[in-house]
Each structure stands twice: as C-alpha cells, then as structure tokens.
Amino acid sequence: MARKLLLENVNVPGIQTFEVYRQKGGYRSVEKALSSMSPEDVVDEVKKSGLRGRGGAGFPTGMKWSFLAKPEGKPRYLICNADESEPGTFKDRYLMTHIPHLLIEGMIVSSFALGAKTSYIYVRGEMMPQIRILERAIAEAKNAGFLGKNILGSGYDLELYVQPGGGAYICGEETALIESLEGKRGNPRIKPPFPAISGVWGCPTVVNNVESIAAIVPIILDGGDEYAKIGIGRSTGTKLISASGNVNKPGIYEIELGLPVEEFIYSDEFCGGIANGKRLKAVVAGGSSVPILPANLILKTVEGNARLMSYESLAEGGFQTGSMMGSGGFIAFDEDQCIVRNTWNFSRFYHHESCGQCSPCREGTGWMEKVLHRLEYGHGKMSDMDLLIDVAKKIEGNTICPLGDAAAWPVASAIRHFRDEFEWHVNHPKDAVERNFGLGNYADSLDKLVEAEN
Amino acid sequence: MLKVTEIENIDFRVELLEEFSEIIKRYPEGKHKAALLPILHLVQAEYGWLSTESMERVANFLDLQPIEVFEVATFYTMFFLKPQGQFVLEVCRTGPCCLVGAEKIIKYIETKLGVKEGEVTSDGRFSWRGVECLAACGMAPVLQIGPDYTFYENLTEEKVDQLIQDLKQNNEAIKSDSQIV
C-alpha cells in the first residue's frame, strides 16, 4: 500500500468530529508551529517540501508564500480556494466532507506562517453541505482554543470564516475568486498587481487550493525534507487523484507522485481497470482543461517510457504528445465513447463559464461550441477541423485569465490526436448520429520515433 | 430577464435580518459588500427565487445601488430570477457525467416530469435544469436539490422514480449511497 499523508485516517469512524480527529493526533502541527517555530520557519519548511499548488497550476507553494508583501499597517489575508469546479475533479469535496479538520488545521498553520489574522475558505455555493460541515468544524476548533484570540497562549489571533460562491467556474481563478469574495461578479483581474501585493480589499493575499493547505499539516509535522523524499524529482509528496469516467472503481485515491499511469488505471488498489470489460480509448489526466491523450500516449511516452503520474512525466512531449497533471482530475474514456461529442460537451462548458470580459474567449468559445455541435450532429465540413484549430489558437494566450487557454487546449488536442474520428464524422454524417467511431487505432502501440532525414 | 413584477412588498423576517447582521461581522469594517452572496443565498432559500423587490431590499440593507445586486445575481448560475418549482432538480450535464449516462437520465427526467428545462410542473412542485460540473464526477450521474443542495448520486432511472415519489410524499428523500472509497 502506498503511503498516505492526507487520507490515512479518513475511514476512522467519527473523524469528522474534533474529538476523534484530535485523538488521532490532529492539531499537533498547530501546537508545533505556534510553540516552537517562527512564521519564517514554517515558510522555509514548505519551501523545502517542494509542494506544488494542487489546484492545477502546480506553482511551488512555498515560493508563492514568500512573494507575499508585508507592508506596515495593512492586514494580510489567506484565502483557501475550495471553488472546486474543474470537470473531472472532486477531491476537495471529498476531503472537506470526510476529514474537514485537516483543512482547518492546515488553515491555522498557513495563516500563522503568512501573518494573517483573518482567513476565508471560499467554497463553491453548490457545496452547501460541505459549508455546514466546515462551519461546524470551525466552531469545534474555536471551542477547543485552536481559533480565536491568543491561540494556545501563543499570542497569535486568528478568525476563520467560510464564504459561499454562487456557481461560477471562473471563481476558481484566484483574482476572480477575490472579486467574488468582495461581493462582485467573478471577473478576473488584470495582473500585475498580483494578489501577493494587492489582493482582497487591496491587501496582500495568498490564495491556495484545499489540498495544498491540507498538505501543510504533514509537512510541518514531519518536516519539509521528509515530505520531499516522497514522490519523484520535482513532483514531491502525495496527490489526491479524482478518478471518473469508465473505470471500475471511480473515486478519490491518494497516490505517491511517480506512480505509473498503467498501474493507476489497471491495479485493483486504484481504478481496477476499465469498466464492463471494455478497452481504454483515451484519458484526460488533469481535469477537462488539459489536453486529452489517446490510450497509447497516456500509457507510454513517445520515447517508449512508461508514463508516470507526476507533473513532469505527464507533460513529457509537450502538447504534441503530452498533457498536464492539472488538478488531478483523471477521466477515462472507454472504446465506445465519442471524442467529438465529448469535445463539444467540454466546449459548451467553457462557453457557459466564460465571464465575458475578453472577446477572444467570450466569442471564441461560442464559435467552437457551434462548430463542434454541427460536426457531432452530422453537418460538419472537412474545413471545420482547421477552423477549430484556428479559433483555438486565437483564444490561447489572448485573454486576461487562463480560462481561454483551458477552453482552447481540449479542442486543439482532440483534433491533434483524434483527427480520424472528426473526419469520419464529416464523411459519414448518418453513421455519426447513429453510432460511435469506436476504438480506432488509438490503443495500438506507437511507432518508434525515427530521426527525419534532410 | 429581470422584470419588475407586482410582488407584495417584501419585509424580511427579523431572524433573517439578524442572520444578515451576523454575516457582515465576518468582514472588515466598510467591506460589508462581501456579504452579498451569502445574503442572496439566504433570501433565495427563504423565497425560492430572487425577485426584483427582494434584491432591492438587499441593496437597501447593504447600502448598495440596486444594480450592484442585480449584476451579481445575474452573473452566478445558482440564483433564480423567476419562480421555480418547489423542488428544482439540477442535473449535471458535463463530460464525466455524460460518460456514464447523464444524458439518458436528463431525458428520463424530462419525460417523467413532462416539462421542458426551466418550466414548472402544473402542480407547482417540480422544475429541472441541466447544470455544469458539480464536482462529484466519481459518483456520476448526479443531481442536486436546493436550498440545502442535497446530492443524489450514481443515478439510475429507478432512483429517479424513487426520488420523485419520495419528494412528492415529502418524505425524507433517499440518502446518497456513494460507493466512493
């Protein structure tokens, strides 16, 4: 069994309560940090751990913390990003539902490290049950002296609040989240200034994902160096992977980074193979925004090496033959799934969720949705694939926030790897409405790369 | 679209106003606009939707221009700007749910309730709509029902039948039976 740092106690009965969580060693990281460490020490340990933001971007958390401005007389804020909305991702929901005190504990230590006296957990509005769970956990922690004035006699004060969102994917983008927390529409801000300089109410602010905050607990307990020993290369520690789609056992799995993708899909410890005895056609490895890969490229890189669940290995080959770790939303497609239909579905999602500020995204996502819709429903043209790639290129990199990129990548990658299937939709419009293209040769082993001769 | 309709003048309950005041305490002084989303959720839970009048009252309470409330209410998908059924079935229609049959479930709900997306059944009890990813892809297909946003997971046609029957009888609806590890 792989080592678990976050979910070790998740199945202990009553672990949602302060009492049981505490019995199992909960809140020791708060005791350790507040009694024997300075805020700078905590930041140093997080830097040493090599922890990378678990929300999707993968930016080193310790470095993000060290950018926080500390002007005199201005409060600083920590906001936990629990606006989990990336299709394929449901790990934060799981963590908040089953082991809420881990997040509260992480929030206290992280707030202490950043010198925040008030912190917020911004939870997507649809997660009302989780909001109630967190509010109860906060009340329990406060009652036990871990929140409020003079925590554990250390002189450190912290108030922690839960803020509901209103149902908008874009609020997962940190500046949109800040706007939303301020009670406005979730329109992302132009950066710079970055939140570390001017975030919520113009004050220095750090926004971190739920899982990143939770990971602070084992990092402080065992030390950053110990944490960094887990994993592979610059992908340190464990990661929660949300497995969905056509696998036998969808769910949340805590893996040590570096686990082979093949083992993750087929081992009974994890997904247990593809459901209904079917074959794997494709995988979206890191939430809907990352490039989709056919079975052959997700299991092995183009060099023929086994692909691993790590930031580097999933990205190996760039966007030509690789993808991204993203948020760890692992969506598996079996041989009977239609890539065109799924791409249309994702495009509709991004069109729906575009905030409308930037023209390339607002208009481009709508056009991609329309063109993909006509392809799926048998009215496509052969030129549509190039048209889609052209639109995607014009969105990518031309918007304030990464939603534009996130909308462009799935479309571009689907056409890059599954062009046969798109062309089949154009050439066989009647068939395309009635049945699916099938597995094609997407699971066949890859040809060895040969150097092109001049 | 927002329409000024003839709704009786809304006076919020005292308890509700007290809750509003509690929420405002979470933010630094002068930053009470931040309370807008939590307060709109409470108002919607109270009335089932957000009428123009109720939003104007919220604006009044928070000392905002009404447009500041309207623009927020229209931006976020959770807020209803017209009356809904007593139970709004919000079914996820995004990719991962569709891989395991969400589109069939949506069709089934439409047929079963006999109303189109956004419409209310003649008895006023039900309406439904497709929503984007609810972050429960491992328990797909899923739907949620406000104002508590209870989740119903691993949906089948039988479960939908049962759920609708239970809701009709106002019984405690079936609990989710998530198989998640």
Side-chain angles (χ1 to χ4, degrees):
Chain A
M1 287 287 279
R3 201 166 145 197
K4 291 193 167 67
L5 298 179
L6 307 180
L7 301 184
E8 196 185 350
N9 292 324
V10 81
N11 291 320
V12 173
I15 196 74
Q16 296 89 342
T17 64
F18 178 83
E19 203 185 343
V20 176
Y21 182 77
R22 182 85 174 123
Q23 275 166 15
K24 285 281 162 191
Y27 288 96
R28 276 186 301 137
S29 73
V30 176
E31 291 172 319
K32 181 174 176 181
L34 266 57
S35 68
S36 65
M37 297 171 84
S38 70
E40 294 73 31
D41 293 341
V42 178
V43 176
D44 280 343
E45 288 305 318
V46 176
K47 274 189 183 164
K48 275 193 252 171
S49 75
L51 174 69
R52 294 166 70 171
R54 299 298 195 221
F59 191 79
T61 305
M63 205 186 289
K64 193 175 193 178
W65 285 11
S66 66
F67 292 154
L68 186 70
K70 292 175 179 155
E72 280 292 312
K74 254 193 181 180
R76 303 188 282 275
Y77 293 98
L78 170 65
I79 307 174
C80 174
N81 184 345
D83 189 58
E84 185 172 52
S85 324
E86 173 84 5
T89 315
F90 49 102
K91 64 191 175 70
D92 298 340
R93 165 195 293 280
Y94 182 82
L95 198 143
M96 291 187 288
T97 308
H98 296 285
I99 189 157
H101 281 285
L102 183 67
L103 176 60
I104 311 296
E105 181 176 355
M107 281 300 283
I108 300 169
V109 176
S110 307
S111 301
F112 170 71
L114 298 168
K117 301 275 163 92
T118 308
S119 295
Y120 298 93
I121 305 175
Y122 181 100
V123 185
R124 67 179 290 182
E126 290 92 338
M127 293 192 191
M128 280 301 171
Q130 285 68 30
I131 290 173
R132 302 282 167 260
I133 290 169
L134 288 174
E135 282 175 343
R136 197 180 322 135
I138 288 171
E140 286 179 326
K142 194 166 183 178
N143 199 30
F146 285 95
L147 280 168
K149 293 254 176 255
N150 192 18
I151 297 169
L152 305 178
S154 65
Y156 175 61
D157 307 335
L158 175 66
E159 291 297 337
L160 184 55
Y161 299 107
V162 184
Q163 175 83 359
Y169 169 72
I170 189 60
C171 293
E173 195 278 338
E174 60 180 9
T175 60
L177 186 150
I178 289 170
E179 286 283 301
S180 180
L181 177 61
E182 291 181 0
K184 303 175 192 158
R185 296 162 68 91
N187 287 350
R189 295 176 179 173
I190 293 172
K191 296 191 264 193
F194 287 88
I197 310 296
S198 176
V200 67
W201 303 303
C203 299
T205 304
V206 166
V207 183
N208 283 141
N209 174 258
V210 171
E211 189 187 346
S212 310
I213 298 274
I216 302 302
V217 174
I219 289 170
I220 294 310
L221 280 177
D222 306 337
D225 289 331
E226 276 303 305
Y227 187 87
K229 284 181 193 162
I230 305 167
I232 181 166
R234 287 181 54 236
S235 297
T236 60
T238 64
K239 171 96 190 78
L240 299 182
I241 304 291
S242 319
S244 67
N246 308 119
V247 291
N248 273 319
K249 295 193 298 171
I252 301 296
Y253 298 98
E254 182 171 6
I255 62 155
E256 289 184 27
L257 286 166
L259 179 81
V261 173
E262 192 163 0
E263 189 180 338
F264 181 70
I265 299 175
Y266 292 102
S267 156
D268 281 337
E269 193 184 334
F270 304 105
C271 299
I274 304 305
N276 305 315
K278 290 185 184 175
R279 286 170 299 171
L280 178 69
K281 178 174 181 177
V283 165
V284 172
S288 64
S289 306
V290 311
I292 187 170
L293 289 180
N296 46 20
L297 276 174
I298 188 70
L299 297 175
K300 283 201 168 79
T301 66
V302 85
E303 301 291 335
N305 304 319
R307 205 182 281 279
L308 311 176
M309 305 281 277
S310 73
Y311 291 92
E312 291 75 22
S313 181
L314 283 170
E316 200 180 321
F319 275 9
Q320 279 311 307
T321 60
S323 184
M324 281 167 77
M325 179 92 220
S327 60
F330 194 94
I331 314 166
F333 297 70
D334 72 26
E335 56 189 297
D336 289 331
Q337 299 300 340
C338 175
I339 300 299
V340 178
R341 187 166 188 81
N342 185 72
T343 311
W344 162 60
N345 187 300
F346 281 171
S347 279
R348 185 190 59 193
F349 172 83
Y350 289 106
H351 180 212
H352 184 264
E353 300 299 338
S354 172
C355 81
Q357 265 193 122
C358 312
S359 316
C361 172
R362 182 186 62 238
E363 305 299 325
T365 51
W367 280 111
M368 290 199 301
E369 184 199 339
K370 281 196 186 81
V371 174
L372 282 158
H373 183 271
R374 78 176 177 216
L375 276 165
E376 166 63 10
Y377 285 93
H379 306 291
K381 297 181 221 159
M382 218 31 128
S383 56
D384 280 350
M385 279 71 87
D386 290 335
L387 176 63
L388 283 168
I389 289 179
D390 187 49
V391 176
K393 264 196 193 140
K394 283 172 179 154
I395 302 175
E396 193 182 342
N398 292 321
T399 54
I400 291 174
C401 87
L403 190 139
D405 304 340
W409 294 341
V411 175
S413 61
I415 295 173
R416 188 181 308 128
H417 299 299
F418 299 90
R419 200 167 188 125
D420 292 4
E421 195 165 337
F422 282 83
E423 288 177 354
W424 179 80
H425 273 71
V426 175
N427 290 328
H428 303 86
K430 264 194 180 152
D431 291 347
V433 182
E434 284 164 13
R435 67 183 177 90
N436 286 331
F437 179 75
L439 185 62
N441 54 3
Y442 303 132
D444 297 352
S445 29
L446 295 163
D447 298 333
K448 269 267 170 224
L449 270 192
V450 187
E451 282 287 318
E453 283 177 39
N454 292 329
Chain B
M1 286 303 291
L2 292 169
K3 244 188 280 169
V4 182
T5 43
E6 292 159 40
I7 313 144
E8 71 277 29
N9 196 24
I10 292 174
D11 264 324
F12 294 131
R13 282 187 296 123
V14 179
E15 294 83 0
L16 202 57
L17 289 169
E18 280 169 4
E19 275 192 75
F20 294 179
S21 305
E22 276 303 307
I23 289 171
I24 288 174
K25 290 182 193 159
R26 298 173 188 170
Y27 315 105
E29 218 180 316
K31 307 297 181 194
H32 52 266
K33 186 175 179 178
L36 183 52
L37 267 85
I39 286 178
L40 288 179
H41 279 300
L42 289 177
V43 173
Q44 178 158 300
E46 180 91 356
Y47 299 99
W49 66 295
L50 299 178
S51 64
T52 309
E53 298 242 342
S54 67
M55 287 190 278
E56 279 170 354
R57 286 272 297 153
V58 170
N60 221 341
F61 181 83
L62 287 174
D63 197 20
L64 302 172
Q65 291 300 318
I67 184 65
E68 292 179 85
V69 181
F70 300 157
E71 67 169 8
V72 163
T74 50
F75 183 84
Y76 295 96
T77 54
M78 288 179 75
F79 300 121
F80 297 124
L81 302 175
K82 56 179 193 179
Q84 304 289 314
Q86 184 190 351
F87 302 108
V88 187
L89 277 56
E90 298 183 305
V91 202
C92 176
R93 60 173 191 179
T94 312
C97 270
C98 291
L99 292 181
V100 291
E103 284 159 324
K104 261 176 144 174
I105 293 290
I106 289 174
K107 267 254 145 32
Y108 186 73
I109 290 174
E110 182 170 21
T111 318
K112 173 106 187 159
L113 294 179
V115 287
K116 290 212 166 65
E117 185 168 11
E119 293 174 357
V120 184
T121 54
S122 54
D123 61 1
R125 280 201 207 213
F126 295 99
S127 47
W128 71 275
R129 63 171 180 164
V131 292
E132 299 297 351
C133 189
L134 295 175
C137 320
M139 300 77 99
V142 290
L143 68 78
Q144 65 179 12
I145 302 177
D148 300 328
Y149 294 92
T150 319
F151 258 74
Y152 301 93
E153 301 165 349
N154 301 309
L155 292 174
T156 57
E157 292 182 357
E158 293 74 39
K159 282 192 191 175
V160 171
D161 286 343
Q162 185 67 46
L163 170 65
I164 289 174
Q165 195 190 330
D166 287 352
L167 289 174
K168 272 186 181 161
Q169 294 170 351
N170 269 335
N171 286 338
E172 237 245 282
I174 45 161
K175 290 285 176 215
S176 72
D177 56 347
S178 158
Q179 297 298 310
I180 202 154
V181 274

